[in-house]
Amino acid sequence: MSGTAVNRRTFLGLAGAGAVAIALPSCANQRSNDPNVIRYWGMGAADTDKDQAVADAFAQTPQGEGVRVDISQVPSSGNSDMSQIITAVRGGTAPDIWWIDRFNTVQSASIGLLEPLDPYIEEFEGVSAEEYRQQWVSFAVDELTYDGQLYGLPTSTDARGIMYNADLVSSIGLDLDMFDPEQHVLTWDELADIAERCVEIDGNGNYTQFGFAPWLDQGGSPYTYAFGKGAAVYDNDATTITMDTPEWLEVYELYAEWVERFPFARVDAFFATYQPPNAPPAQTVMFSERMVMTPTGPWQIQGNEKYAPDLDFRWTWLPVWNEDDPTYTWSGGQGLVFPRGTEVTRTKWEYMKFHAGGPGQTIIQPMLGNLPTHLQTIADGAYNPKAQFFADMLPFSTSRPPLPVGTAAWDALDRARQSVTLGSASPDEAAATAQAFVAPKMDLFPGFQMPDTYGQPIDLTPPAT
Amino acid sequence: MTGTTTTTTRDPGSDDRAVAPDPPPAAATGRKKLTKTQRRNLRLGLMFISPWILGLLVFVVYPVTYSIILSFTRYSGLLTPEWVGFQNYVSAFLDPLVSTAVGNTAFYAVLAVPIGLLVALVLALAMNRNVREVALFRTIFYMPSLIPAFAMSFIFIVFLNPQFGFFNQLIRPFGGADVNLLGDPTGIKIAIVLMAQLGAGNAALIFLAGLRNVPRTLYEAARVDGASRGRQFLSITLPLLSPVILFNLITGVSGALQVFTEAFIVTNGTGGPDSGALFYMMYLYRNAFGFAELGYASALAVLLFLVGMGLALLIFFLSRRFVNYDVNAA
């Protein structure tokens, strides 16, 4: 053993070097002190060009002169896994502006993850938040409202319908007029008969062509059809979770009836074969003309144009239970928020306002294929003309209920649907389990009230300027 | 094994050149007073293990203590924790998904642990063959354990694909319809059990070390007595491997209770069809980072810790009947 002093020095030296090595990278990700740099967690990698286009346009404005927007793609918009944003906020490395799945805003606000906008609207715009929010579709703003305060500005929205391959429909010998939204709204019974005629099976009993199943694509969540039955997750008057009502049972019974006609395992094998999990975006059962219809939304337009420009895809309404039932849909979308701890400056506010306002939405929504939430932008028709069918739905559309247990409710509905389609639970049992899962979580928010405007018809008239 | 050798023990920290006679015991306290050299050696020793002590305090003691405290609070990770007493523990027993997750985890553990031990033991026996290419065999058998769980999961997704996956290619000649094993609540659990076996190389290495420690004289004596290979395995190999089996059993159970990565990747974090692959750790993670209920997630973690400790103690208790630590008594 050599001298103690040397060992001690070496030890202390190494410890010091280790501490510096740990400290340096963490410092590198701290929020920038440069007032002209905005750190932004934006859309996924495939859509970076849209975010960049908005940032470039902002740089051309007087407010954006000399401002740099650092765009990062972080694989979570808060939809299911919030570990990145929570860790970043706790570690002081959160972005200045975060592109969030709007549905999760209320939950994020309820856990203290976001900064309320009301004081900044009053400071920078000189109006109340109540007045300022009138520029956007009300259901979109409702999703960003918690405890009477606004926590973000909405960007895009959408709606849901049935996309069908018109050539396949014709080749099977089906009447195209039944799919024409101007002439007819399909009932579930009609759709089931049509789906039977679309099916082709090989010698081993595998589907090689398939028509439709309600649990596919956007139908995976019972929300999609719940709005057609008036099934609600939350009763604002009674302030209780209502996930086991007769309306929900009817939605689950719908799934159960379809599983009897089209066994889940066979449909699942069909999908795993022709559109396996994590398949590239061009490898879908619709693009390979293996499936005739699917419930989806206007975001699909971008993919259709990119990967299957020669296929004749058209849209019709979501099916109704009875012939005279009104049509229905629901809308999702995203928004921009300030994570907790953001030092909100006029520059950052101006960028958020630009991105979520008319200029940004005019640039970004036609590229995405989605719809704007900014009323003047909708009135200007600044979206892909092929999305007009969905734009016409907006006056009677609504969002998922803005609840602080939104993610839990979404999960519970998804699981209930899976239990029914896999046959492990009856509709009654599935609904009861969902209720038992979500109600205790909501009990932590006694007397919670959704905004009064939630679920009301939408007025798309832009406010007078 | 040290049972057949004679060893002398000495203070590992002592220095022959500087050993001073120990002072007489302090009668009043019953404690020995350390010599200057011993104090210096103690300081040095502590300094050398200080990285480990620091790591233990920072990465084990602090998080475990913090987690236990959090389990009695409602905490999102951002706002001030709110004391709720045992409410999180009560909720855990009422939560329908906890029972689902426990059931899935138990299913996995009951299958994966014994199968894992068996596969590892067979691998170790193969690695222990006295042939010229043994080094090559050992490398080949161990290699799957080097594949990251992330890559392994994707390999299995392809392996089980109904159209071109090997599994369906096997059953297709028998005329059955294609099966999506990952789309079935039981099938996906079995798939993850199978996936875990490709990591058996680590346990196999420990078995191999145990096998190498079995004295060859015992086999020679058994052969002279006319014992068959099977009898040798049952009467010599297995008893002398029992401490290693116990070690691998406890680490296997501990690992099975914490199964997460493969299921998370294969199901994209959803828990799979009808929550069929929603294992306990996945549900814990979902509560912590999906629902931001860190208090509740901490309560789930504490319960898992208690169950894990309980199982380890039970195995230790039961092991008295089958574990043999004495080569001479074999």
Side-chain angles (χ1 to χ4, degrees):
Chain A
M1 193 178 285
S2 57
T4 310
V6 174
N7 284 337
R8 193 173 293 157
R9 279 196 197 119
T10 307
F11 171 75
L12 291 173
L14 286 173
V20 170
I22 292 167
L24 276 179
S26 59
C27 289
N29 287 323
Q30 292 289 326
R31 284 190 168 110
S32 170
N33 291 323
D34 187 338
N36 287 325
V37 173
I38 299 171
R39 294 183 67 237
Y40 168 55
W41 282 11
M43 289 187 269
D47 293 317
T48 311
D49 56 326
K50 287 98 180 169
D51 272 335
Q52 192 61 56
V54 176
D56 292 345
F58 179 66
Q60 303 302 314
T61 65
Q63 294 82 4
E65 195 178 347
V67 174
R68 193 181 85 226
V69 181
D70 283 347
I71 302 170
S72 302
Q73 291 84 46
V74 176
S76 169
S77 56
N79 191 22
S80 58
D81 188 341
M82 299 208 289
S83 54
Q84 296 103 331
I85 189 71
I86 289 177
T87 309
V89 168
R90 285 292 303 262
T93 59
D96 298 310
I97 298 175
W98 180 35
W99 182 77
I100 190 175
D101 193 318
R102 208 164 52 230
F103 170 57
N104 286 292
T105 308
V106 171
Q107 176 171 315
S108 299
S110 76
I111 63 171
L113 192 61
L114 309 176
E115 295 283 348
L117 297 188
D118 294 34
Y120 305 112
I121 292 172
E122 286 168 17
E123 180 184 347
F124 297 131
E125 299 299 318
V127 297
S128 69
E130 186 58 34
E131 185 181 342
Y132 194 70
R133 59 182 278 163
Q134 304 301 322
Q135 298 177 61
W136 287 272
V137 175
S138 63
F139 66 68
V141 187
D142 287 344
E143 283 190 299
L144 296 163
T145 304
Y146 173 66
D147 208 13
Q149 297 212 79
L150 189 62
Y151 280 84
L153 298 183
T155 55
S156 59
T157 193
D158 50 42
R160 275 136 191 87
I162 303 287
M163 184 176 85
Y164 63 96
N165 182 324
D167 291 334
L168 268 183
V169 166
S170 298
S171 68
I172 293 165
L174 299 168
D175 183 4
L176 264 178
D177 289 346
M178 289 188 74
F179 292 81
D180 183 354
E182 300 284 333
Q183 300 187 47
H184 188 67
V185 182
L186 287 166
T187 65
W188 281 111
D189 289 339
E190 289 172 336
L191 187 59
D193 292 339
I194 289 169
E196 292 273 16
R197 293 179 62 186
C198 295
V199 163
E200 288 178 6
I201 300 174
D202 70 10
N204 286 333
N206 301 311
Y207 291 130
T208 54
Q209 180 176 288
F210 195 66
F212 181 87
W215 59 85
L216 301 176
D217 208 330
Q218 288 295 299
S221 171
Y223 267 126
T224 296
Y225 311 118
F227 290 103
K229 277 307 285 181
V233 164
Y234 189 68
D235 184 332
N236 226 18
D237 297 329
T239 64
T240 53
I241 291 291
T242 54
M243 296 176 72
D244 55 356
T245 60
E247 290 82 9
W248 281 111
L249 295 188
E250 287 191 70
V251 174
Y252 296 131
E253 278 159 9
L254 169 81
Y255 287 115
E257 288 163 13
W258 275 72
V259 167
E260 283 182 20
R261 298 177 84 150
F262 304 100
F264 183 85
R266 285 170 69 188
V267 179
D268 190 48
F270 167 78
F271 259 79
T273 301
Y274 299 109
Q275 190 180 314
N278 302 309
Q283 188 185 344
T284 74
V285 286
M286 291 301 287
F287 293 160
S288 59
E289 298 197 81
R290 297 248 172 214
M291 199 158 94
V292 182
M293 299 163 277
T294 191
T296 183
W299 60 86
Q300 184 63 45
I301 293 168
Q302 185 191 6
N304 294 351
E305 290 175 339
K306 190 172 179 181
Y307 300 115
D310 298 330
L311 296 183
D312 187 5
F313 290 123
R314 300 181 197 176
W315 303 91
T316 192
W317 307 105
L318 291 171
V320 293
W321 270 259
N322 301 304
E323 211 166 288
D324 299 327
D325 286 351
T327 55
Y328 61 94
T329 190
W330 67 270
S331 300
Q334 289 78 28
L336 299 179
V337 293
F338 291 127
R340 183 183 183 190
T342 299
E343 190 184 336
V344 180
T345 61
R346 178 172 280 283
T347 301
K348 290 169 189 170
W349 168 252
E350 289 293 343
Y351 181 71
M352 180 188 275
K353 191 175 79 170
F354 182 87
H355 193 131
Q361 294 211 14
T362 301
I363 294 168
I364 219 166
Q365 301 312 333
M367 296 170 83
L368 280 175
N370 271 342
L371 299 169
T373 49
H374 190 255
L375 293 172
Q376 188 58 54
T377 312
I378 297 172
D380 294 343
Y383 47 85
N384 189 324
K386 291 180 183 171
Q388 186 59 48
F389 175 64
F390 296 98
D392 293 339
M393 292 183 183
L394 288 183
F396 60 85
S397 187
T398 189
S399 65
R400 287 164 286 182
L403 298 172
V405 294
T407 307
W410 176 264
D411 277 10
L413 289 172
D414 188 42
R415 275 196 303 275
R417 191 275 301 165
Q418 288 185 36
S419 299
V420 171
T421 49
L422 281 158
S424 64
S426 67
D428 283 346
E429 293 164 341
T433 303
Q435 175 76 11
F437 179 69
V438 180
K441 295 184 186 299
M442 196 63 209
D443 288 344
L444 300 174
F445 301 89
F448 178 82
Q449 287 290 301
M450 296 189 292
D452 293 336
T453 43
Y454 176 71
Q456 301 299 316
I458 306 300
D459 181 4
L460 293 179
T461 311
T465 51
Chain B
M1 296 294 207
T2 57
T4 55
T5 58
T6 304
T7 57
T8 54
T9 56
R10 60 194 278 266
D11 179 1
S14 65
D15 184 336
D16 289 341
R17 290 167 301 173
V19 172
D22 287 342
T29 60
R31 291 167 59 189
K32 283 185 191 174
K33 192 177 175 188
L34 294 177
T35 64
K36 191 178 173 186
T37 306
Q38 284 173 325
R39 279 202 301 276
R40 193 194 69 179
N41 286 341
L42 179 65
R43 274 201 309 276
L44 272 177
L46 285 174
M47 198 171 78
F48 276 117
I49 64 166
S50 61
W52 179 85
I53 292 175
L54 203 65
L56 181 80
L57 291 174
V58 173
F59 297 115
V60 178
V61 176
Y62 170 70
V64 168
T65 311
Y66 190 54
S67 189
I68 291 171
I69 295 169
L70 279 188
S71 71
F72 295 103
T73 67
R74 181 184 170 204
Y75 182 48
S76 68
L78 295 157
L79 301 175
T80 310
E82 179 189 338
W83 189 263
V84 294
F86 284 92
Q87 188 182 314
N88 288 327
Y89 290 93
V90 174
S91 300
F93 284 99
L94 297 176
D95 187 339
L97 274 191
V98 168
S99 52
T100 303
V102 167
N104 288 338
T105 309
F107 182 102
Y108 174 84
V110 165
L111 278 184
V113 174
I115 293 175
L117 284 177
L118 195 64
V119 170
L121 183 57
V122 169
L123 278 182
L125 289 170
M127 288 171 163
N128 199 34
R129 301 294 292 172
N130 191 17
V131 291
R132 202 175 54 176
E133 302 83 1
V134 68
L136 179 67
F137 290 150
R138 286 177 185 172
T139 308
I140 291 171
F141 289 143
Y142 186 71
M143 202 165 280
S145 303
L146 296 174
I147 301 174
F150 187 82
M152 187 63 68
S153 305
F154 278 102
I155 290 170
F156 257 73
I157 289 172
V158 175
F159 182 81
L160 297 172
N161 179 280
Q163 187 185 24
F164 47 80
F166 183 65
F167 177 73
N168 276 286
Q169 301 283 358
L170 274 180
I171 63 170
R172 201 166 288 151
F174 301 100
D178 292 345
V179 177
N180 181 21
L181 210 58
L182 299 179
D184 178 76
T186 306
I188 194 168
K189 281 193 280 283
I190 293 171
I192 292 169
V193 168
L194 294 177
M195 215 181 289
Q197 304 318 315
L198 292 174
N202 293 318
L205 278 189
I206 298 169
F207 274 131
L208 180 61
L211 286 173
R212 305 289 291 177
N213 271 335
V214 178
R216 305 192 77 64
T217 50
L218 295 178
Y219 292 110
E220 286 159 10
R223 270 199 299 274
V224 169
D225 288 344
S228 65
R229 280 182 174 273
R231 172 52 61 191
Q232 290 175 37
F233 178 76
L234 290 174
S235 298
I236 300 173
T237 311
L238 266 189
L240 294 186
L241 268 187
S242 56
V244 183
I245 294 173
L246 175 66
F247 175 80
N248 277 338
L249 178 64
I250 290 175
T251 53
V253 168
S254 171
L257 293 181
Q258 297 173 64
V259 57
F260 178 83
T261 311
E262 297 88 346
F264 190 84
I265 294 165
V266 168
T267 68
N268 209 11
T270 63
D274 201 15
S275 304
L278 183 75
F279 295 113
Y280 193 86
M281 283 299 285
M282 278 184 71
Y283 187 52
L284 191 158
Y285 180 87
R286 185 89 180 117
N287 273 287
F289 297 110
F291 309 142
E293 294 182 8
L294 291 183
Y296 184 49
S298 296
L300 293 177
V302 170
L303 289 174
L304 179 66
F305 173 72
L306 293 175
V307 169
M309 284 290 289
L311 281 176
L313 288 174
L314 182 68
I315 292 168
F316 260 123
F317 176 74
L318 295 176
S319 71
R320 291 178 189 167
R321 292 164 181 264
F322 71 85
V323 175
N324 169 50
Y325 290 101
D326 186 359
V327 171
N328 297 320

